[in-house]
Amino acid sequence: MKTYINPNAEQWNELAKRKTVATADLNETVKAVFNDIQKNGSKAVKKYTNYFDGVSIENFVVTPSEIENAVTQIPSNLKNAIQVAADNISKFHSSQKEIPTKIETTSGVFCWRESRAIDTIGIYIPGGTAPLFSTVLMLAIPAKLAGCKNIILCSPPDKNGNINPAILYAAQLTGVTQMYKVGGIQAIAALTFGTDEIPKVSKIFGPGNQYVTAAKQYAQQLGLAIDMPAGPSELLVIADETCDPEFVASDLLSQAEHGGDSQVILVTNSQEIVAKVSVAIEKQKAVLPRQATVEKALENSRALIFETIQTAIEFSNFYAPEHLILAIENAEDKINLIENAGSIFIGNYSCESAGDYASGTNHTLPTNGYAKNYSGVSLDSFVKKITIQKLTSQGIQNLGPTIEIMAAAEQLDAHKNAVSIRLKKIQNG
């Protein structure tokens, strides 16, 4: 990690940059794959699965026997751990259910709002070198709680054409209705258009690499809803003299191991902390099986030293991290200063891994600075909000004149007449 001491505001743009793929090339690839799949359906999906994943698949559907086999491969301790995580995620997301409240805005005029589940949603589960079965819990559980009828899962196959057993186990546990062995751009395109095998969905959820993120954004341009632009993982840690350098190093490494395009940033008010954390990183990464991935991510990561924690917080708000750890004195008292972050972890014992797996909060979060204008996935992500109003006879009499005046001022006579005709009927008995 390269260290910067008291970088001025003019340098912040450069220091906040994430590693990216050339946008023009990326978008052209996405567009070409989408056009081909829209035209040729499953045939094109198979072609790109062979090209990108290096595996030939004739039938993308995960069969009941494959699911049963996956269940038998999961050790009991992992099943128990998944169940604990699922219970916590269910508890937290169940608390987000909205109870409709009728508001009488004017005497006789009642307004309220109700939620309706999105009927068919797609969830994308990254596979590859780190199959994220935890993401199944984070997406399928709130979808089920919200009442989504069809939960369609896509995940990239391994070289043998299979989805990781833990992903399939988590999917059957949480009520996923259909599962498909397809990943990358081709999975997002298939969910966008639908094929003879894979259904078209109304909204796509789930993180992925920059190709998946670009594909989701292109799907959005075509009229499909997405959760957010969730790309490569990132973490920013703000640390002062009260931090434990070994804890900080472990958190930075935990995110760096996601992928070579991940980014981790340490922001502190002490050169001594940077030195201690750097030593701890070297010691801990030496025994990690994903050391090569970690080192690649660290090349794009950095340590920033500011004179005060206040300035460190200001940089964090500018960066808008996916995950933010406050390893500082009186951390909870500082959260009101945090304006932009996907999820916050308070104090030395709140490791980011807790949110990734089992604390109960959702780990599908905005990256690449989108925490400035996006929230992480919640129960609300899986529903539409419908407003409802009811006017009684007294209500239209009380509010009607206001509507008539406003409609007339906008020269929308039919709008005015919709009120006037009712008022006349009431007056005439």
Side-chain angles (χ1 to χ4, degrees):
M1 294 173 67
K2 188 174 180 181
T3 301
Y4 299 82
I5 300 175
N6 289 322
N8 59 43
E10 286 73 29
Q11 295 175 278
W12 286 15
N13 271 322
E14 189 64 30
L15 294 175
K17 282 185 178 179
R18 280 75 164 177
K19 187 175 181 180
T20 58
V21 176
T23 303
D25 294 342
L26 182 59
N27 290 340
E28 282 304 311
T29 299
V30 168
K31 187 175 180 180
V33 173
F34 266 64
N35 288 343
D36 195 358
I37 289 174
Q38 184 179 27
K39 181 179 179 181
N40 297 305
S42 292
K43 181 180 177 182
V45 176
K46 291 175 183 178
K47 178 177 73 174
Y48 291 112
T49 298
N50 195 317
Y51 179 76
F52 289 121
D53 297 321
V55 58
S56 179
I57 293 182
E58 286 304 313
N59 185 359
F60 291 110
V61 179
V62 177
T63 64
S65 62
E66 287 178 292
I67 297 171
E68 290 173 12
N69 184 51
V71 171
T72 64
Q73 295 182 53
I74 306 302
S76 59
N77 64 341
L78 178 54
K79 288 180 180 178
N80 292 336
I82 289 174
Q83 188 62 61
V84 170
D87 289 344
N88 288 345
I89 294 164
S90 294
K91 287 176 189 175
F92 182 72
H93 289 77
S94 292
S95 72
Q96 299 167 11
K97 289 183 178 180
E98 183 179 31
I99 300 174
T101 302
K102 286 187 179 181
I103 305 298
E104 192 171 10
T105 57
T106 296
S107 182
V109 179
F110 301 91
C111 298
W112 68 99
R113 188 172 75 163
E114 295 185 6
S115 298
R116 298 290 185 273
I118 300 172
D119 186 83
T120 303
I121 60 111
I123 62 175
Y124 183 85
I125 307 301
T129 58
L132 301 184
F133 64 86
S134 57
T135 301
V136 180
L137 307 180
M138 298 292 175
L139 298 176
I141 288 174
K144 200 72 176 177
L145 287 171
C148 299
K149 294 177 183 176
N150 303 301
I151 305 172
I152 314 301
L153 180 150
C154 285
S155 187
D158 61 21
K159 297 302 180 183
N160 296 315
N162 300 313
I163 294 178
N164 183 277
I167 290 177
L168 298 183
Y169 175 76
Q172 62 83 33
L173 177 71
T174 53
V176 171
T177 52
Q178 293 161 262
M179 309 170 208
Y180 297 92
K181 297 173 280 191
V182 57
I185 300 171
Q186 61 271 26
I188 305 302
L191 292 170
T192 300
F193 301 120
T195 70
D196 55 344
E197 289 186 72
I198 301 171
K200 173 181 170 61
V201 302
S202 297
K203 189 172 183 178
I204 297 177
F205 296 80
N209 59 23
Q210 293 189 17
Y211 291 93
V212 170
T213 300
K216 286 172 63 181
Q217 290 175 308
Y218 187 66
Q220 190 175 36
Q221 294 177 32
L222 298 176
L224 196 76
I226 65 170
D227 50 359
M228 71 193 80
S233 190
E234 57 194 39
L235 166 69
L236 188 147
V237 180
I238 301 177
D240 65 11
E241 66 281 354
T242 67
C243 80
D244 185 315
E246 291 188 352
F247 292 177
V248 173
S250 68
D251 286 318
L252 294 171
L253 290 171
S254 74
Q255 287 308 290
E257 76 173 349
H258 268 295
D261 53 0
S262 296
Q263 185 175 73
V264 294
I265 294 180
L266 170 62
V267 188
T268 180
N269 59 349
S270 167
Q271 292 188 52
E272 185 180 357
I273 290 173
V274 173
K276 289 181 178 179
V277 170
S278 297
V279 170
I281 285 176
E282 291 303 313
K283 180 182 177 181
Q284 293 178 31
K285 80 174 184 179
V287 296
L288 294 176
R290 295 171 64 83
Q291 185 176 350
T293 299
V294 165
E295 289 178 342
K296 190 174 181 182
L298 290 177
E299 290 174 2
N300 190 46
S301 300
R302 50 193 65 98
L304 311 181
I305 302 170
F306 292 107
E307 290 184 359
T308 67
I309 291 300
Q310 175 62 38
T311 307
I313 291 174
E314 290 172 5
F315 177 81
S316 177
N317 283 329
F318 180 83
Y319 181 81
E322 176 189 20
H323 307 99
L324 171 63
I325 293 178
L326 299 179
I328 56 178
E329 188 176 14
N330 300 320
E332 193 162 354
D333 295 337
K334 302 291 196 305
I335 59 174
N336 64 311
L337 301 176
I338 305 303
E339 298 174 357
N340 304 317
S343 191
I344 302 172
F345 301 79
I346 298 173
N348 286 327
Y349 295 102
S350 302
C351 58
E352 190 278 332
S353 302
D356 266 356
Y357 290 107
S359 66
T361 62
N362 208 290
H363 77 200
T364 307
L365 302 165
T367 65
N368 202 30
Y370 284 105
K372 291 180 179 178
N373 43 38
Y374 278 85
S375 304
V377 163
S378 68
L379 197 71
D380 281 352
S381 305
F382 298 90
V383 301
K384 300 107 47 181
K385 304 288 188 176
I386 302 174
T387 57
I388 304 168
Q389 49 263 297
K390 176 184 176 182
L391 279 68
T392 64
S393 172
Q394 190 61 48
I396 192 66
Q397 291 179 76
N398 290 335
L399 194 60
T402 295
I403 302 169
E404 287 180 311
I405 291 169
M406 294 177 73
E410 289 191 346
Q411 301 179 40
L412 296 175
D413 291 345
H415 281 66
K416 179 187 176 192
N417 189 53
V419 173
S420 300
I421 197 170
R422 286 172 167 81
L423 294 178
K424 288 178 182 178
K425 181 78 86 173
I426 292 169
Q427 290 168 3
N428 295 332

